[in-house]
Amino acid sequence: MNSKTTPRDDPLDDGCDLRDAQLRIQSERLAPSDQPSLTPPAGTSLTPAYGTSLTPAGTSLTPAGTSLTPAGTSLTPAGTSLTPAGTSLTLASGTSTSLSAGADQHSPTLGVCVVDDGQSLAKKEERIDGQIKKRGHVAVAPFERLSNNRSTVTLSVPNQSPMERFSKHHLNVTQLCEQSWCEIKVVYGFLKPHTKRREMRRTAVTTGASIHLARELEANPDAVTVVVHTREDREALKLINLIQMVPALEAGQLVREFPVLGLLDGVFFLGVVDELYCSKSGDLVLSELKTRSHNSLPHPAQAKGHSLQVGVYKLLFDSMVQGSMKRDQLLHFLKLRPHQAFGSELQSYAQKLGLLAVTFGELVDHLLVVLHFSNLQPIDKLCLEYRHQSSGVLIGNREVEFEETQLRAELRDYLAFWRGEREPHGVDIEDIEEAWKCRMCPYEESCDWRRSRLQEMMVDGSKKAKLDGSKSDSPNSSRRVPN
């Protein structure tokens, strides 16, 4: 009987702690955010109490006889609506009306603003390709738009790694997946957390989270809710679930939401595996569910992050069952107190399961013993399952080839960014296979990386145009060569 967590005073997420953005929002938080909460304490309201006015008594913000709208002038341009497509307007007497969307709706499949498959994606790629071919002529407009919306931020800080700058003691696997999409987007996720939160509240994200929760409850219908009071309580509850899953997996049962954790190349990682089961041939299979708003398999740029995700999951799982996880590492990188006693609700829950541990350190010791004496073997197969978000119909399955040497080399390159050994890399806007990513990014209008690359394209385009013009004006260019 696994459990769900109902935390009290749960700290705000740091903005980059993503799982599959269409599946769940908080699944990989084996440790809470390192960032302080910007949310007011429980019971605090940002709105004055009923009957309170923000305008002093007897004072008007509009001078007598003065209109804020010039005579004969409309604040809404002709033919322009101030209400975005798909937005509901609430009218008097509680009635409402909805506006239908006229443009393509975009939604991510990996927490990295992806999708627009099929014809929609093809049209966008074709349009961007045309812009790139025209180079300086077409690049002027988007560059001017970006310049007008300029909001410069510091993408990197000298003598300070991103781990230090953003107070990261560990990473989640899905942060690597987002990094494989665009490292500049990862940085903006930390620097502009409000935009990140808005992205995570989109319908595609919350719908996917509901689908994933339904599958989890399908595999574990007897799940109970346990109230936790401390960070140690929350992480202990997840470790208790892991302890319960080990014998179930040994018995050949299917398990979902299996936590994985451990040290890779000097960095501590956390993750949650969607599904583990034994195939008919006896292979241990790791399957990751991805939901799609379009009934088609993902673009190669998306699939790259998906393959990276399951590959890192395998590295962590194999390390755990082979005894590589250490007690001191877990306590150090997650900043947890080994002598912290559990809350009364969690102690009661643990006792019902036959666990005698009453502190977090005792529970960690018990987990390490369970893993040491288990007969679990490394994962044999990695699979990706794609389903249509609206209908739930299976789109297709893909088996991912595991190349450990290549994966570890990619991992070292990704971690070089987090250690501050290199600058962050953004999307190559001159590559048609990459450029369309920016169209789905919430930071497109204020992205300094994109602005600088567009400026470089303009300069290169001007130089090329001048060079072509000088060649055509040269007298030697029209001279005929005698036979």
Side-chain angles (χ1 to χ4, degrees):
M1 178 174 63
N2 292 351
S3 58
K4 297 187 298 181
T5 308
T6 303
R8 292 179 180 174
D9 300 325
D10 191 16
L12 192 64
D13 182 53
D14 61 14
C16 270
D17 189 5
L18 300 178
R19 181 100 170 88
D20 180 349
Q22 289 184 314
L23 301 186
R24 54 188 175 278
I25 299 177
Q26 301 179 0
S27 61
E28 282 202 25
R29 299 181 192 169
L30 205 59
S33 167
D34 302 314
Q35 303 296 328
S37 175
L38 299 177
T39 306
T44 302
S45 173
L46 296 179
T47 305
Y50 179 75
T52 302
S53 174
L54 295 178
T55 305
T59 302
S60 174
L61 295 180
T62 306
T66 302
S67 173
L68 294 180
T69 305
T73 303
S74 172
L75 295 180
T76 305
T80 304
S81 172
L82 295 180
T83 306
T87 304
S88 176
L89 295 177
T90 302
L91 307 178
S93 303
T95 60
S96 64
T97 181
S98 297
L99 301 179
S100 59
D104 293 335
Q105 301 299 311
H106 314 305
S107 54
T109 55
L110 188 61
V112 283
C113 265
V114 189
V115 173
D116 258 354
D117 308 293
Q119 295 182 354
S120 177
L121 176 58
K123 290 180 181 178
K124 286 185 177 295
E125 291 181 342
E126 183 179 345
R127 183 170 66 252
I128 296 170
D129 188 30
Q131 292 180 0
I132 293 173
K133 289 179 180 178
K134 294 181 180 179
R135 299 179 67 84
H137 300 289
V138 180
V140 174
F143 176 72
E144 290 178 348
R145 186 179 73 250
L146 289 171
S147 298
N148 294 334
N149 291 277
R150 188 173 182 82
S151 178
T152 304
V153 296
T154 304
L155 295 176
S156 61
V157 177
N159 303 320
Q160 190 178 39
S161 70
M163 293 287 284
E164 296 169 334
R165 183 185 184 188
F166 303 124
S167 302
K168 300 296 294 180
H169 303 292
H170 62 271
L171 295 176
N172 291 317
V173 176
T174 46
Q175 285 175 321
L176 277 185
C177 301
E178 187 177 15
Q179 184 183 353
S180 71
W181 183 261
C182 176
E183 289 178 343
I184 303 299
K185 186 173 186 291
V186 172
V187 175
Y188 276 112
F190 286 105
L191 299 179
K192 300 188 176 185
H194 297 295
T195 303
K196 184 76 171 184
R197 292 186 187 94
R198 285 197 301 270
E199 182 185 13
M200 296 306 296
R201 287 195 294 264
R202 292 184 303 107
T203 303
V205 179
T206 55
T207 300
S210 300
I211 293 173
H212 200 92
L213 178 60
R215 284 189 59 148
E216 182 182 356
L217 295 176
E218 178 184 293
N220 183 32
D222 298 325
V224 298
T225 299
V226 178
V227 178
V228 298
H229 299 269
T230 64
R231 295 181 60 220
E232 286 74 18
D233 277 4
R234 187 189 305 110
E235 309 319 317
L237 189 57
K238 296 170 185 176
L239 295 186
I240 289 174
N241 286 340
L242 195 159
I243 291 171
Q244 291 180 267
M245 291 181 190
V246 169
L249 195 56
E250 289 177 315
Q253 299 177 24
L254 179 148
V255 298
R256 287 187 174 132
E257 302 302 300
F258 189 97
V260 289
L261 60 161
L263 202 65
L264 295 177
D265 202 30
V267 176
F268 200 82
F269 280 93
L270 305 172
V272 179
V273 175
D274 275 352
E275 192 170 281
L276 288 168
Y277 63 91
C278 290
S279 66
K280 294 180 180 179
S281 59
D283 293 330
L284 182 57
V285 181
L286 183 154
S287 179
E288 188 73 12
L289 171 66
K290 302 294 180 185
T291 60
R292 308 272 298 161
S293 60
H294 290 74
N295 193 18
S296 61
L297 290 173
H299 187 276
Q302 298 166 270
K304 177 184 177 181
H306 300 167
S307 299
L308 172 67
Q309 183 178 5
V310 295
V312 175
Y313 282 163
K314 173 175 166 57
L315 290 179
L316 292 172
F317 180 90
D318 293 355
S319 175
M320 289 170 59
V321 300
Q322 291 170 348
S324 298
M325 189 173 69
K326 306 299 181 184
R327 181 182 193 270
D328 292 341
Q329 292 175 352
L330 192 153
L331 296 174
H332 170 71
F333 287 104
L334 299 186
K335 304 300 178 184
L336 297 171
R337 300 166 292 179
H339 303 297
Q340 175 65 39
F342 300 145
S344 57
E345 295 92 338
L346 186 57
Q347 285 194 32
S348 299
Y349 177 69
Q351 291 174 1
K352 291 179 181 178
L353 299 176
L355 297 174
L356 302 180
V358 294
T359 67
F360 187 79
E362 292 173 353
L363 183 63
V364 172
D365 292 336
H366 184 77
L367 170 64
L368 294 177
V369 171
V370 169
L371 291 174
H372 179 76
F373 288 100
S374 73
N375 60 9
L376 293 178
Q377 299 299 312
I379 292 170
D380 298 300
K381 289 184 179 181
L382 302 174
C383 294
L384 292 167
E385 176 187 352
Y386 295 98
R387 289 190 174 273
H388 189 239
Q389 193 172 81
S390 299
S391 64
V393 174
L394 177 66
I395 299 174
N397 291 300
R398 282 180 175 172
E399 185 172 336
V400 178
E401 186 175 354
F402 180 74
E403 295 288 348
E404 183 171 355
T405 301
Q406 178 181 344
L407 177 61
R408 289 190 179 275
E410 293 178 7
L411 186 60
R412 284 193 296 271
D413 180 60
Y414 290 134
L415 294 182
F417 157 72
W418 288 103
R419 295 190 178 105
E421 298 169 0
R422 63 169 176 80
E423 293 293 316
H425 296 158
V427 171
D428 183 358
I429 63 174
E430 295 189 80
D431 183 354
I432 193 60
E433 293 295 327
E434 296 286 323
W436 62 275
K437 294 179 181 178
C438 295
R439 300 303 185 202
M440 290 63 165
C441 181
Y443 312 107
E444 179 191 7
E445 296 295 327
S446 59
C447 179
D448 287 335
W449 168 277
R450 178 173 169 79
R451 181 185 297 112
S452 64
R453 294 306 176 274
L454 285 171
Q455 188 175 27
E456 290 173 4
M457 288 172 60
M458 291 172 58
V459 173
D460 292 344
S462 299
K463 289 180 178 179
K464 185 177 183 299
K466 290 180 180 179
L467 180 62
D468 292 342
S470 62
K471 287 182 179 180
S472 63
D473 294 338
S474 174
N476 294 330
S477 62
S478 59
R479 185 172 56 188
R480 296 183 62 183
V481 179
N483 294 329

